Amino acid sequence: MNEIAERYVKLVLAMGQHDPAYVDSYYGPPEWKAEAEKGKRPFADIDADAQRLIDALNGETASLAAQPVELERLRHEYLRRQLEALRARVRMLSGAKLSFDEESQALYDAVAPSHPEAYFQAMLDDLERRLPGKGPLIERAEAFRKQFVIPRDRLGKVFDLAIAECRRRTLPHLSLPETESFTVEYVTGKSWSGYNWYHGHYRSVIQVNTDLPIFIDRAIDLACHEGYPGHHVYNALLEKNLTRDRGWQEFSVYALFSPQSLIAEGTANYGIEVAFSDAERRAFERDALFDEFRDLLDRLSYAGNEAARRYLNGDIDRQAAVQWLTRFALMSPDRAEQRTRFFDDYRSYVINYNLGKDLVKQFIESRGGTDAHPEKRWQEFIQLLGSPRLPSGLRP
Ligand SMILES: [Zn+2]
C-alpha cells in the first residue's frame, strides 16, 4: 500500500505541472516534488499509470481480511476514488467535455440537486416581506447589509478576535500538535474571498481578499472555515493522524479537484455551526462590530459627570447643561433635560456609575481577574461583593 501511495503522490505532483491549482498542498518528501518539476509527463502516460495503480490497489483490497479494520477499508476506497478523479481530470485537461453533473460526479463523487426558478422565487417573495421599504429588493438587501460592513481599518482586529474565538471553542474538543499555528495575510485581485494554504508541519497561511467590503458575518465564517475547526484543523489532523502516525503518504498531497475537496469544504462550512450556536454567533458579531463604539460611549459618560459638576457648582444653568450633554455625551435634548433633573435630585451620585465601574474593573483586573482569566475574574468579583470594602480601598 505504501508503494501505491507513493506512486499516487507522484502522479498528483505530475498533474500539478500541467495545472498549478491542482496541487493545493504538499508537504511530503521535497525530492518527489523536485523530480516532478523536471518536466511535464504526457497525459496518456499519467492516465496509464493511474489505471495501473487502480489495478494494483484492487489487488491489495482483494487480499484484505474479510472484515477489515474500518480505517483500512476507508483508505482503500478513498485512494481508489481519488485516482479515478485524477483520471477524470486528465480527460478534462485532454479536451473531453463533461456536463456539470458528470464533472462533479467524476471529480467530487457527488451531484447537486436541481431547482426550478419558482423554488427561488418563493424565497425572494418571503424576503420581500421581511425587508420592507421602497426600491428593488437587491437595493434594500444591500442597504440592510451595509450596516454590517467591517470598517477597513478594523479588519485585522476583528479577524484576530474571530480567529481567537473560533480557536478557543475548538481546541478543548481535540488534541492538536502544540506547534500548530497560522498567519493571516490580506490580499487583493483574487476570485475567492478567503483561502487556506496548508504548508505542512501544522502551519497554514490564511489569505483574506479585501477587494470588496467584508461584512461582519464573514469574520466568523472565514475564521471557522479557513481556521478552526475548518481547513487548518482538517489538514493538521490528516497530517498528524494519517501521514505521520500511520505513514499514509497519500495524505501528504492534496489534489484540489478531487473528492477530498467536498469533505474539506463541507466540514469547513459545517464547522461554523459546530463551533457556534446562532445566538453565540450573533453575540460575537455584535460585540466585534460595536466594541469600539461602545468603548467610546463608555468613556464619553464622563462628560455627564462634567456637566453635573458645572451645573451643581452654579457655573452653568440648566440650558447650558443640556447643551453640554447633547454636545459631549451625544444625548438627545429630551434625554439630556431628564438627566439635569436627576442632577437636581441626586447630585454627585452620578459618579457612582461610571467611576464606580472603572474603579471596580481596575481593582479586579489588578488582582488577575482579566478577560483572559474569566474564572479568576468571577472569583475576585464574588469576593468583592461579599466583603466590606471602601472605594478608597479599590485604588491600587
Ligand atoms: Zn474552503
Side-chain angles (χ1 to χ4, degrees):
M1 272 308 281
N2 288 342
E3 194 201 317
I4 294 173
E6 177 176 333
R7 284 165 61 196
Y8 162 77
V9 173
K10 289 176 174 173
L11 275 187
V12 173
L13 294 174
M15 286 294 283
Q17 294 306 304
H18 293 276
D19 178 6
Y22 191 76
V23 182
D24 192 71
S25 150
Y26 175 66
Y27 53 83
E31 57 273 19
W32 294 1
K33 186 159 180 263
E35 195 189 310
E37 282 166 353
K38 281 187 184 148
K40 283 187 182 177
R41 287 182 62 188
F43 283 131
D45 192 22
I46 294 176
D47 191 53
D49 225 10
Q51 180 57 61
R52 273 193 291 275
L53 273 186
I54 291 173
D55 293 341
L57 183 57
N58 287 340
E60 289 295 318
T61 306
S63 67
L64 276 180
Q67 300 268 290
V69 182
E70 168 150 67
L71 204 56
E72 287 282 340
R73 185 180 61 76
L74 291 176
R75 182 189 190 193
H76 284 232
E77 285 172 9
Y78 178 91
L79 194 47
R80 187 161 25 248
R81 198 60 190 80
Q82 290 288 117
L83 279 162
E84 285 166 1
L86 182 144
R87 295 193 67 203
R89 188 69 184 164
V90 167
R91 283 198 296 284
M92 287 171 66
L93 294 177
S94 309
K97 294 269 177 278
L98 276 62
S99 74
F100 184 85
D101 289 345
E102 286 165 353
E103 180 188 313
S104 80
Q105 177 60 43
L107 295 184
Y108 309 117
D109 200 32
V111 171
S114 297
H115 299 290
E117 283 182 15
Y119 173 85
F120 300 107
Q121 190 56 53
M123 288 179 206
L124 292 182
D125 293 345
D126 193 16
L127 212 50
E128 286 276 1
R129 285 187 292 273
R130 284 162 201 265
L131 274 181
K134 294 193 187 74
L137 180 60
I138 183 171
E139 281 172 18
R140 278 179 278 152
E142 203 50 33
F144 179 78
R145 306 196 72 207
K146 262 217 178 90
Q147 309 170 71
F148 307 107
V149 172
I150 307 172
R152 197 70 155 218
D153 61 344
R154 298 257 301 143
L155 263 187
K157 197 176 165 199
V158 169
F159 271 111
D160 288 351
L161 268 175
I163 289 164
E165 183 62 19
C166 293
R167 190 168 185 272
R168 189 183 70 77
R169 286 165 177 272
T170 300
L171 289 195
H173 304 287
L174 75 171
S175 91
L176 277 185
E178 292 267 306
T179 52
E180 66 83 18
S181 70
F182 65 74
T183 49
V184 183
E185 294 173 2
Y186 296 90
V187 298
T188 52
K190 305 292 180 188
S191 65
W192 36 256
S193 56
Y195 210 109
N196 177 75
W197 303 98
Y198 190 67
H199 288 201
H201 305 280
Y202 317 120
R203 298 217 171 86
S204 297
V205 172
I206 291 179
Q207 292 187 323
V208 177
N209 182 0
T210 59
D211 281 338
L212 297 172
I214 299 179
F215 299 101
I216 186 63
D217 50 329
R218 291 295 290 150
I220 292 279
D221 276 358
L222 279 169
C224 281
H225 181 108
E226 310 294 349
Y228 308 85
H231 293 326
H232 175 67
V233 170
Y234 172 66
N235 284 298
L237 287 180
L238 288 182
E239 179 175 359
K240 169 82 176 63
N241 296 347
L242 303 183
T243 309
R244 290 183 189 263
D245 291 357
R246 290 175 181 267
W248 292 1
Q249 203 61 50
E250 67 268 34
F251 290 96
S252 67
V253 76
Y254 174 7
L256 190 66
F257 307 111
S258 76
Q260 181 169 4
S261 282
L262 185 133
I263 304 297
E265 301 299 352
T267 49
N269 268 355
Y270 185 61
I272 302 164
E273 283 177 40
V274 176
F276 284 85
S277 72
D278 282 355
E280 289 168 336
R281 203 180 147 154
R282 262 198 309 278
F284 176 85
E285 291 171 351
R286 194 179 48 222
D287 289 357
L289 202 55
F290 298 120
D291 238 11
E292 211 169 28
F293 180 68
R294 195 181 43 204
D295 214 48
L296 276 172
L297 281 188
D298 251 19
R299 282 187 283 146
L300 273 181
S301 76
Y302 279 85
N305 297 5
E306 209 47 55
R309 178 180 287 123
R310 292 171 187 216
Y311 174 67
L312 294 168
N313 285 347
D315 299 333
I316 56 175
D317 63 8
R318 185 183 307 280
Q319 201 195 348
V322 167
Q323 271 170 10
W324 173 276
L325 287 170
T326 52
R327 178 164 173 208
F328 291 108
L330 295 181
M331 284 185 188
S332 63
D334 47 351
R335 191 172 299 275
E337 203 274 333
Q338 181 197 57
R339 193 68 181 160
T340 59
R341 283 185 280 110
F342 185 87
F343 295 165
D344 293 335
D345 292 341
Y346 295 97
R347 303 188 51 86
S348 67
Y349 192 91
V350 292
I351 71 159
N352 293 330
Y353 300 103
N354 48 7
L355 182 64
K357 177 193 160 180
D358 286 345
L359 288 178
V360 167
K361 180 180 161 83
Q362 245 173 45
F363 176 73
I364 287 177
E365 291 185 353
S366 74
R367 294 160 83 102
T370 57
D371 250 356
H373 301 98
E375 265 318 306
K376 175 76 175 152
R377 180 157 67 181
W378 265 113
Q379 215 179 48
E380 289 294 337
F381 184 69
I382 302 289
Q383 202 177 342
L384 176 61
L385 292 183
S387 54
R389 190 171 288 273
L390 282 170
S392 53
L394 294 177
R395 299 252 183 214

